[in-house]
């Protein structure tokens, strides 16, 4: 994985003092993903994901992420942050859980049947999500990079990483901002 310097997208917009809503974050990632010059400026690495921190609206944290073929995030959540992401080029697949999980005090959960969702997000497609949203994002292409724009408010206090085997979800690691910035 590599990290690049911050960029300010031409599509940045102000948000209310309370912080941007999920809808405002989705609007931001949509506008930012349409900035062809910004998208083309992301250095792509054939071996690992690349990312550039962006200036998000209203104090939010935003990222432009490049996904080589066959890469993904693994199962994770964004703790207390709401967010949105949109595919700028290529196609991403999202697996998510429709149930809200307990936030603390567990290491292993048995998931009930029927809580899994799958979305294919081609260029121009995205979604917003609430707090404690558990998902994984994948570029299943064998040939094509994907590029996406992500925004979170408040800025990510932590990311919890999970492993999954069938219906069993296990908390594996808690990352703090210093781990990925």
């Amino acid at each position: 994985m590599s990290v690049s310097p911050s960029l300010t997208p031409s599509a940045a917009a102000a948000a209310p003092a309370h912080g941007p809503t999920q809808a405002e974050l989705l609007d931001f990632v949509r506008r930012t993903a349409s900035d062809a010059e910004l998208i083309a400026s992301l250095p792509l690495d054939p071996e690992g994901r690349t990312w550039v921190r962006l200036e998000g609206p209203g104090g939010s944290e935003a990222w432009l992420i490049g996904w080589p073929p066959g890469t993904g995030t693994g199962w994770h959540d964004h703790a207390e942050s709401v967010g949105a992401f949109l595919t700028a080029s290529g196609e991403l697949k999202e697996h998510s859980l429709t149930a809200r999980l307990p936030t603390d005090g567990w290491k292993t959960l048995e998931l009930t049947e029927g809580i899994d969702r799958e979305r294919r997000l081609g260029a121009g497609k995205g979604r917003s999500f609430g707090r404690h949203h558990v998902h994984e994002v994948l570029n299943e292409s064998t040939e094509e990079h994907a590029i996406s724009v992500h925004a979170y408010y408040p800025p990510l206090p932590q990311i919890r990483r999970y492993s999954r085997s069938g219906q069993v979800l296990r908390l594996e690691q808690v990352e703090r901002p210093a781990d990925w910035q």
Side-chain angles (χ1 to χ4, degrees):
M1 292 186 199
S2 60
V3 178
S4 300
S6 296
L7 296 176
T8 302
S10 61
H18 69 279
T21 65
Q22 290 177 46
E24 290 164 334
L25 292 173
L26 185 58
D27 185 53
F28 168 80
V29 297
R30 184 173 288 118
R31 287 190 326 271
T32 302
S34 70
D35 183 338
E37 186 176 328
L38 176 67
I39 300 307
S41 74
L42 179 66
L44 299 177
D45 181 337
E47 301 300 318
R49 287 189 297 151
T50 54
W51 55 89
V52 173
R53 184 160 184 165
L54 304 173
E55 186 177 319
S60 64
E61 178 175 345
W63 298 90
L64 180 62
I65 301 175
W67 306 75
T71 58
T73 61
W75 286 94
H76 67 283
D77 72 15
H78 306 100
E80 296 292 326
S81 298
V82 298
F85 72 101
L86 187 128
T87 305
S89 68
E91 180 180 83
L92 294 173
K93 180 175 172 182
E94 179 196 34
H95 294 127
S96 63
L97 303 177
T98 60
R100 185 170 173 163
L101 303 180
T103 56
D104 292 309
W106 65 275
K107 289 291 237 176
T108 304
L109 286 178
E110 176 108 16
L111 303 173
T112 59
E113 296 291 328
I115 67 167
D116 288 293
R117 292 290 180 266
E118 180 181 302
R119 291 177 178 85
R120 291 201 174 274
L121 302 167
K125 301 292 183 195
R127 69 180 309 260
S128 63
F129 52 85
R131 292 187 271 186
H132 307 290
H133 175 70
V134 177
H135 70 164
E136 70 173 343
V137 180
L138 310 160
N139 176 5
E140 293 186 322
S141 173
T142 58
E143 301 174 5
E144 183 181 0
H145 263 81
I147 298 176
S148 57
V149 180
H150 303 245
Y152 310 98
Y153 188 84
L156 295 171
Q158 66 182 14
I159 293 177
R160 288 181 289 244
R161 299 221 174 257
Y162 306 97
S163 62
R164 182 161 180 194
S165 178
Q167 294 302 109
V168 176
L169 189 69
R170 178 180 303 277
L171 177 64
E172 297 291 345
Q173 180 180 5
V174 177
E175 296 176 1
R176 307 270 181 224
D179 298 325
W180 66 79
Q181 293 183 10

